[in-house]
Amino acid sequence: MALNVNWLRQCRRAGLYEQGKAIYEKGGLNLANLTDEQQIEAEDDYRICVRRGRDEETKPRRQRPKTTEDDQEETTMTKTLYGKVHGKTIELDEDLGVAEGQEVEVHVRMIGPKKRLPGPPPGWRPGGTETAAGMMAEHWTEEDDRILEAIERDRHRPSTRELPE
């Protein structure tokens, strides 16, 4: 008996509403042999199957376009590729993996320019021995030294406060 209840539940979950309804109505399900909780769940599953089965019948069916014998089976492939536009041509960064002459549908989403990191500091040259701080030496003042020392003192100050007694 519990097996039929499980099948009813699986039919409801899988959207097989007509089969679930048939299990409940014609499957010899005896609710008296079930616990109260199982009875309630079985009745809920049955009601959902009946209601959704009725909704499925009233939904308009989607019409598939008629195909000719020459048409090949349509396969859907979704792939994100990047490239650059040159007039009416899009040059992709990698191979699309589609046969030459195959018709495709293209959805285009423009992307902004890549973010670039700021360049090197003025006066820097590759292989130079100067550091960024060394390049600032001629612009450094005693006021800058005082500020840097105050920052260093603050870094070493305890971060906890004493509570007043």
Side-chain angles (χ1 to χ4, degrees), residues 24-44:
Y24 186 89
E25 293 174 351
K26 301 173 185 169
L29 190 63
N30 185 354
L31 296 178
N33 295 339
L34 303 175
T35 66
D36 290 341
E37 185 177 323
Q38 289 174 323
Q39 289 178 16
I40 291 169
E41 289 176 358
E43 290 169 354
D44 286 345

Side-chain angles (χ1 to χ4, degrees), residues 3-19:
L3 183 62
N4 281 350
V5 172
N6 290 335
W7 278 110
L8 174 60
R9 167 69 43 96
Q10 294 306 318
C11 287
R12 179 187 62 85
R13 287 181 176 167
L16 303 171
Y17 306 121
E18 288 303 315
Q19 290 84 344

Side-chain angles (χ1 to χ4, degrees), residues 80-100:
T80 301
L81 298 172
Y82 297 93
K84 291 185 180 165
V85 175
H86 302 285
K88 293 175 88 175
T89 304
I90 299 175
E91 180 185 353
L92 299 175
D93 294 341
E94 62 185 83
D95 184 33
L96 182 57
V98 176
E100 181 76 25

Side-chain angles (χ1 to χ4, degrees), residues 94-136:
E94 62 185 83
D95 184 33
L96 182 57
V98 176
E100 181 76 25
Q102 172 69 48
E103 290 186 1
V104 296
E105 180 177 291
V106 178
H107 299 265
V108 176
R109 183 173 59 108
M110 296 193 324
I111 56 175
K114 293 181 180 176
K115 292 185 179 179
R116 305 219 183 260
L117 296 174
W124 179 86
R125 58 190 184 344
T129 57
E130 306 90 11
T131 62
M135 289 189 290
M136 294 297 295

